[in-house]
Structures are given as structure tokens and as C-alpha cells.
Amino acid sequence: MKIRQMVPDDYESAYQLWTRTPGMNLKSLDNSYEGIKKIIDCNPKLCFVAEDQQQIVGTLLGGTDGRKGYFYHTAVDERYRHQHIGSQLIQLVLEGFKKQGVQKVGLFTTNDNLEGKTFWKHLGFSEREDITYLDKDLTDS
């Protein structure tokens, strides 16, 4: 298994992994090739894939606004879970955030993604009860 920076050409294989991963909620953002290419282009040193025999088995896209870092599209193929692939991807992105001076990291998960919530809490992330996330789809207007 090898971990490397994600490039736009990884999109098709990564998207296949995401569609097989419960809780990904791919309809909430622009997850087209162009949309994913934008985050990779803006954050090339924060987006990674894990490969086994040239097949993508894990992904993590990191993004930052300069102050806070965010995790997107964290996924590990079900057959490869419990091998610390997710933890390795997370550590790489955290190191990248630290190099850029980012001091806080956030992520979004759906309310019904209990396995995901358990994973993140195991890694020391806390669920915030003091905020409500709101958004507006600009393609609707």
C-alpha cells in the first residue's frame, strides 16, 4: 500500500470509492471532476490517496481558508479498514496544516453516519453542540 498526493486524474477511481462508502453525501457539493479539481488545485499538498496495486483504496482531501483546516471526502474501502490507512491519511494532512500555520481543524459528517462519528471521536475530534451548520446552494438562484 502506498500513499501519495492526489491528482485530478485520480477522480474516476476516487469517485467510485466514494459512491461505495456509506455516509459520503455526494449530493451536498459539486463533486464533479471540475469541482474536485478545484480543491486539489487550491490545496495540492493537502489531498491524498492510498493505493494498493494501483487501485485507490483511500482518500482524504484537505482544504484551508488560511486559518482553519477542513477534511473532505475521507474514505477507506471497506476491505482495507482497520489497517490504519485513514489515520495515516489524516496525519499527513494534519502535518500539512501545521506547516501552513493552521491551528484548528473541522469536518462535516451526516447525522446518521454513526460509524464515521465513532471514528472521528476515537481520533480526538469533538462533536459541537453549540452551533448549527447552515448553507445556501448558489446554483438554485
Side-chain angles (χ1 to χ4, degrees):
M1 205 260 325
K2 165 180 131 177
I3 295 179
R4 62 171 175 77
Q5 289 181 335
M6 186 174 185
V7 296
D9 285 348
D10 293 321
Y11 174 77
E12 289 297 329
S13 295
Y15 192 83
Q16 288 176 16
L17 170 63
W18 300 335
T19 60
R20 292 191 313 268
T21 303
M24 286 300 294
N25 198 19
L26 294 174
K27 295 178 183 168
S28 66
L29 285 170
D30 179 4
N31 289 296
S32 66
Y33 171 85
E34 292 80 14
I36 298 303
K37 183 177 182 313
K38 284 179 187 178
I39 193 166
I40 294 170
D41 289 348
C42 290
N43 303 277
K45 294 182 179 180
L46 297 173
C47 298
F48 294 92
V49 295
E51 286 183 313
D52 185 35
Q53 300 178 17
Q54 299 181 328
Q55 178 182 346
I56 292 177
V57 299
T59 62
L60 177 54
L61 306 179
T64 178
D65 62 10
R67 306 171 309 129
K68 188 172 183 178
Y70 294 92
F71 290 142
Y72 302 99
H73 293 59
T74 308
V76 175
D77 187 290
E78 203 165 16
R79 296 168 292 167
Y80 289 83
R81 292 186 183 163
H82 308 289
Q83 297 178 35
H84 305 287
I85 294 169
S87 299
Q88 289 177 58
L89 291 165
I90 291 162
Q91 191 57 43
L92 283 169
V93 177
L94 289 174
E95 289 170 12
F97 285 149
K98 287 178 185 176
K99 286 179 186 174
Q100 293 184 24
V102 171
Q103 297 179 357
K104 190 168 188 96
V105 179
L107 61 96
F108 301 100
T109 186
T110 58
N111 290 331
D112 61 352
N113 185 357
L114 301 181
E115 186 177 3
K117 286 182 179 184
T118 300
F119 172 77
W120 291 111
K121 287 178 181 179
H122 176 74
L123 293 177
F125 284 76
S126 302
E127 189 169 349
R128 298 222 16 210
E129 309 246 344
D130 61 326
I131 61 172
T132 299
Y133 174 74
L134 305 168
D135 70 4
K136 178 177 176 61
D137 191 343
L138 299 179
T139 60
D140 287 346
S141 44

